[in-house]
Amino acid sequence: MSDLFQNKNFTPLSELGEFGLIEKIQSSVQIYNSETIKGIGDDAAVIEKNDTYYTLVSTDILIEGIHFDLIYTPLKHLGYKAVAVNLSDICAMNGFPKQILVSIAVSNRFTVEAIEELYKGILLACDKYKVDLVGGDTSTIHKGMVISVTAIGEVEKEKIVYRNGAKEKDLIVVTGDLGGAYMGLQILEREKAVFLENPKIQPDLEGNDYILERQLKPEARKDIIEEFRRLEIQPSSMIDISDGLASEILHICKQSNVGCEIYEEKIPIDPQTYDRARQFIIDPTTCAMNGGEDYELLFTLPLKDYDKIKNHPDFTVIGYITEPAKKCHLITKSGTVHPITAQGWKHF
Amino acid sequence: MSDLFQNKNFTPLSELGEFGLIEKIQSSVQIYNSETIKGIGDDAAVIEKNDTYYTLVSTDILIEGIHFDLIYTPLKHLGYKAVAVNLSDICAMNGFPKQILVSIAVSNRFTVEAIEELYKGILLACDKYKVDLVGGDTSTIHKGMVISVTAIGEVEKEKIVYRNGAKEKDLIVVTGDLGGAYMGLQILEREKAVFLENPKIQPDLEGNDYILERQLKPEARKDIIEEFRRLEIQPSSMIDISDGLASEILHICKQSNVGCEIYEEKIPIDPQTYDRARQFIIDPTTCAMNGGEDYELLFTLPLKDYDKIKNHPDFTVIGYITEPAKKCHLITKSGTVHPITAQGWKHF
């Protein structure tokens, strides 16, 4: 098979990109079971459960050196985050997570005590979100650590929300604030560089609590899904923000076949995120648009429901859906119009 | 966290072993949802689905250099096998697989064409078993390849079979034959060694078709689950043989709190497996007991059902369940009695 490996006659994965690869796979998939309601292409797969509910399933793989750096990530935090980011995908379908399976592959550099720390974080997330760890697999690997998490949840059939339901004139809403996780990562990377140069210097993390927590211990917004039920809010489309606002709104608009206008001045950014971005000479809006890992929810809502969310501290209206021909644009604070392009994480 | 890594004050994972680690994790797990029927500790997790069915979920992680060697494993076969071994876990609960999620992490050594080969195998298995590929994740990794597969299935509630239901005097039955996958691996490892010494020598694989296929393209015994329904057979306990007969019967006996006697002369071994084992100066019974990767089903059956399976070409009775005090024994062809100990794959 060696002729299929790196060779000038073949296509490097970087040329196709992650989304290109997924589209290629998706196009060759065939569905055999009528109980499979929705396969590849949303935050979670949707499977028939019973008269009232669908089952939701989502999976993520996390690789040391790609998705996390153990120099500054405590193993307990890593375990917590690995679970939270998966549960976030279930929430993004307007569902509630119920069970997880966790597989790990670790090199012999890890001790029993290290793996116990990782599982303390995993089980802390299970307790916080009331999900059950029901299975997994363990293996050795020559180098590094790999964590694969599968989350299972459920959603009332009439409440399921896909990426493709956004309609013209719908409001575009985000929860919480954006860009913090990215700025937290910049702080950690800076302190890592200092440490590698001189291991005797103590890391300077003061005054960065909020953004460090956004990076190291993100939460799945299960509380928002509960709030939707309480306020009788039914989003027309939804996605979680793992790759940055730009990438996610493009997913919604592409799959819903609509355009959008987003107002820079409306994008919620925490003061700490804003200050640190300025200090690092990074545009705070860029952090929010392309930073990723905030795990907030991005959803669209019919205009008639505006009263249900206005003045709610968790929700910010940042724009609205337009006809497809209008494409996707960011209206800057100075009033200029920029096309939105995805610059989220491209692993390949 | 570096003090939790390899350090003489801490416990190396090898000291605990894979099963020890799983037991440690299992003991700290708490279940919050009444819909979680069975968590860690069987071939698949069991979740409430509807009045008639349970949902089954199982996951495996496969690591290059640990579980597969791309020098002699075609990527298409690898994709097929990665799916089949997961579906086997669903079958081991007496259930039918319906959906899978596949995550891959690959280094930049892999081209688009290589990944397409892998997915051809994955989709071939989907077609063969009529399961739907409904999701997954893709990532890069610094070195090698990791494949994580999650299988989802269902089983009629009254037909579910756990590992812990074996009763005294039950028959112990296996499907197909054992040890072939292990001998196939020996052939491939021999030819790899020859190739590494002199890449010009063509591999000598002739006359080994059956055992090579057992290693490279194992099947999940979904056909047996269908046969159980047709013959109205309800095993009292069941497991799939991934780590070797010894390890699996010990799981059944430990979880059922029983002992067993297995007769060496009854263990089904294919003539090709037998011949090659002799040629390699390996005891063929050792291949069957400790070789692993055959993915046949091992189950127990009340004595009264013997008529349903006798003379059936797929089933071989190899022994019977005893009271717990008798422990687990192998009765050799010469009539001597050996305690059965697990020597299956210990990754750590």
Side-chain angles (χ1 to χ4, degrees):
Chain A
M1 303 305 294
S2 56
D3 54 343
L4 289 176
F5 292 119
Q6 210 62 283
N7 178 314
K8 66 178 178 342
N9 295 319
F10 290 96
T11 322
L13 275 171
S14 54
E15 208 170 278
L16 196 61
E18 185 178 1
F19 296 140
L21 179 63
I22 293 170
E23 274 177 26
K24 217 176 167 68
I25 296 164
Q26 194 179 355
S27 69
S28 33
V29 164
Q30 208 178 321
I31 298 296
Y32 304 96
N33 297 288
S34 61
E35 295 209 336
T36 299
I37 309 297
K38 171 88 190 174
I40 299 170
D42 217 303
D43 287 89
V46 183
I47 299 167
E48 179 72 24
K49 179 170 180 156
N50 53 38
D51 289 345
T52 316
Y53 291 96
Y54 290 131
T55 294
L56 302 168
V57 193
S58 179
T59 191
D60 272 319
I61 191 160
L62 303 174
I63 313 285
E64 184 182 355
I66 307 290
H67 300 95
F68 57 90
D69 187 333
L70 290 177
I71 285 193
Y72 51 69
T73 311
L75 283 162
K76 192 173 167 183
H77 284 68
L78 176 62
Y80 190 93
K81 180 169 175 174
V83 175
V85 305
N86 255 272
L87 304 186
S88 179
D89 282 323
I90 302 297
C91 296
M93 308 296 291
N94 207 21
F96 292 99
K98 297 288 178 179
Q99 290 92 8
I100 55 166
L101 296 91
V102 179
S103 294
I104 58 165
V106 291
S107 74
N108 61 10
R109 143 176 158 254
F110 294 91
T111 60
V112 170
E113 289 77 7
I115 303 306
E116 284 179 325
E117 273 298 301
L118 181 74
Y119 273 91
K120 270 185 201 160
I122 291 169
L123 295 177
L124 186 65
C126 286
D127 186 49
K128 157 91 183 188
Y129 295 103
K130 301 294 175 242
V131 302
D132 303 329
L133 175 63
V134 296
D137 193 11
T138 57
S139 172
T140 190
I141 188 169
H142 290 310
K143 199 169 173 295
M145 178 188 271
V146 175
I147 308 173
S148 175
V149 180
T150 299
I152 302 162
E154 62 178 27
V155 58
E156 305 91 322
K157 284 181 175 178
E158 77 280 6
K159 297 232 160 81
I160 193 164
V161 179
Y162 294 102
R163 292 178 179 178
N164 67 5
K167 298 273 177 298
E168 216 183 312
K169 295 189 182 134
D170 281 357
L171 299 169
I172 300 170
V173 189
V174 290
T175 62
D177 57 77
L178 302 179
Y182 179 77
M183 280 318 300
L185 183 64
Q186 301 316 305
I187 298 283
L188 291 166
E189 287 286 346
R190 180 188 70 187
E191 295 308 312
K192 176 185 170 183
V194 171
F195 172 83
L196 291 178
E197 216 163 87
N198 185 348
K200 283 179 188 161
I201 295 180
Q202 286 296 309
D204 174 20
L205 301 172
E206 221 183 278
N208 296 305
D209 294 18
Y210 179 69
I211 58 175
L212 289 171
E213 184 150 327
R214 293 292 284 172
Q215 170 58 226
L216 293 173
K217 195 168 171 281
E219 304 287 355
R221 300 303 311 258
K222 184 184 166 188
D223 59 325
I224 296 291
I225 307 307
E226 287 160 352
E227 196 70 354
F228 283 163
R229 299 293 186 277
R230 201 178 64 79
L231 299 173
E232 296 182 2
I233 288 172
Q234 177 68 17
S236 51
S237 72
M238 187 153 58
I239 191 168
D240 73 327
I241 303 181
S242 54
D243 293 345
L245 178 57
S247 173
E248 313 305 355
I249 192 67
L250 287 173
H251 280 305
I252 283 188
C253 288
K254 188 179 175 187
Q255 296 196 28
S256 300
N257 190 30
V258 292
C260 74
E261 286 198 353
I262 288 183
Y263 293 85
E264 183 186 17
E265 64 182 351
K266 301 289 188 191
I267 298 171
I269 296 173
D270 186 82
Q272 195 173 85
T273 306
Y274 197 90
D275 287 354
R276 288 309 168 279
R278 287 302 171 124
Q279 199 180 318
F280 276 71
I281 319 173
I282 303 173
D283 178 5
T285 302
T286 303
C287 297
M289 291 297 281
N290 301 318
E293 291 206 277
D294 289 314
Y295 299 102
E296 295 294 341
L297 294 171
L298 171 69
F299 63 96
T300 57
L301 197 66
L303 199 54
K304 67 171 174 55
D305 287 339
Y306 176 62
D307 281 349
K308 293 182 182 172
I309 58 156
K310 78 173 176 194
N311 301 325
H312 191 295
D314 282 326
F315 301 123
T316 310
V317 178
I318 58 168
Y320 62 94
I321 297 293
T322 61
E323 56 180 302
K326 292 260 176 80
K327 306 240 170 87
C328 297
H329 292 106
L330 179 74
I331 318 297
T332 67
K333 288 174 187 170
S334 60
T336 59
V337 178
H338 283 287
I340 295 173
T341 54
Q343 292 165 12
W345 287 17
K346 285 208 188 64
H347 296 310
F348 294 119
Chain B
M1 305 303 295
S2 56
D3 53 343
L4 289 177
F5 292 120
Q6 210 63 282
N7 177 314
K8 65 179 178 345
N9 295 319
F10 289 97
T11 322
L13 274 172
S14 54
E15 208 171 278
L16 197 60
E18 186 178 2
F19 296 139
L21 180 63
I22 293 170
E23 274 177 26
K24 218 176 167 69
I25 296 164
Q26 194 179 355
S27 69
S28 35
V29 165
Q30 207 178 322
I31 299 296
Y32 304 96
N33 298 288
S34 60
E35 295 208 336
T36 300
I37 309 297
K38 172 87 189 173
I40 299 169
D42 217 303
D43 288 90
V46 183
I47 299 168
E48 180 73 23
K49 179 170 180 155
N50 52 38
D51 289 345
T52 317
Y53 291 96
Y54 289 132
T55 294
L56 302 168
V57 193
S58 180
T59 192
D60 271 319
I61 192 160
L62 303 175
I63 313 285
E64 184 181 355
I66 307 291
H67 301 96
F68 59 90
D69 187 333
L70 290 177
I71 285 193
Y72 51 70
T73 310
L75 282 162
K76 192 174 168 184
H77 284 68
L78 176 62
Y80 191 94
K81 181 170 175 174
V83 175
V85 305
N86 255 272
L87 304 186
S88 179
D89 282 323
I90 302 296
C91 296
M93 307 297 292
N94 206 22
F96 292 100
K98 298 287 177 179
Q99 291 92 8
I100 56 166
L101 295 90
V102 178
S103 294
I104 58 165
V106 292
S107 75
N108 61 10
R109 144 175 158 254
F110 294 91
T111 59
V112 171
E113 288 76 7
I115 302 307
E116 283 179 325
E117 274 298 300
L118 180 75
Y119 273 91
K120 270 186 200 160
I122 290 168
L123 294 177
L124 185 66
C126 285
D127 186 49
K128 157 91 184 189
Y129 295 103
K130 300 294 174 244
V131 302
D132 304 329
L133 175 63
V134 296
D137 192 13
T138 56
S139 173
T140 189
I141 188 169
H142 290 310
K143 200 169 172 292
M145 177 188 270
V146 174
I147 307 173
S148 175
V149 180
T150 299
I152 302 163
E154 62 177 27
V155 59
E156 304 91 322
K157 284 180 174 179
E158 77 280 6
K159 298 233 159 81
I160 193 164
V161 179
Y162 294 102
R163 292 178 178 176
N164 67 5
K167 297 273 178 298
E168 217 184 310
K169 295 189 182 132
D170 281 357
L171 299 169
I172 300 170
V173 189
V174 290
T175 62
D177 57 76
L178 301 179
Y182 179 77
M183 279 319 300
L185 183 63
Q186 302 316 305
I187 297 283
L188 291 166
E189 287 285 346
R190 182 188 69 189
E191 295 308 312
K192 176 186 170 182
V194 170
F195 172 83
L196 291 178
E197 217 163 85
N198 185 348
K200 283 180 186 159
I201 295 180
Q202 286 295 309
D204 175 19
L205 300 171
E206 220 182 280
N208 296 307
D209 295 17
Y210 180 69
I211 57 175
L212 289 172
E213 184 149 329
R214 295 292 283 172
Q215 170 58 224
L216 293 174
K217 194 167 170 282
E219 303 287 354
R221 298 306 310 258
K222 184 184 166 189
D223 59 325
I224 296 290
I225 307 307
E226 287 160 353
E227 196 69 355
F228 283 164
R229 299 292 186 278
R230 201 178 64 78
L231 299 174
E232 295 182 3
I233 289 171
Q234 177 68 16
S236 52
S237 71
M238 186 152 60
I239 191 169
D240 74 326
I241 303 181
S242 53
D243 293 346
L245 178 57
S247 172
E248 313 305 354
I249 191 67
L250 287 173
H251 279 306
I252 283 187
C253 288
K254 188 179 177 188
Q255 295 196 27
S256 300
N257 191 30
V258 292
C260 73
E261 286 198 352
I262 288 182
Y263 293 85
E264 182 186 17
E265 64 181 351
K266 301 289 188 191
I267 298 171
I269 295 174
D270 185 83
Q272 196 174 84
T273 306
Y274 197 89
D275 287 355
R276 288 308 168 281
R278 287 301 171 122
Q279 201 180 316
F280 276 71
I281 318 173
I282 303 174
D283 178 3
T285 303
T286 303
C287 296
M289 291 297 281
N290 301 318
E293 291 206 276
D294 290 312
Y295 299 103
E296 295 294 342
L297 294 171
L298 171 68
F299 62 96
T300 57
L301 197 66
L303 198 54
K304 67 171 174 54
D305 287 339
Y306 176 63
D307 282 349
K308 294 181 182 172
I309 58 156
K310 79 174 175 192
N311 302 325
H312 192 295
D314 282 326
F315 301 123
T316 309
V317 178
I318 59 168
Y320 62 94
I321 296 294
T322 61
E323 56 180 300
K326 292 259 175 83
K327 305 237 170 89
C328 298
H329 292 106
L330 180 74
I331 318 297
T332 67
K333 288 174 187 168
S334 61
T336 58
V337 177
H338 283 287
I340 295 173
T341 53
Q343 292 166 11
W345 286 16
K346 287 206 187 65
H347 296 309
F348 296 119

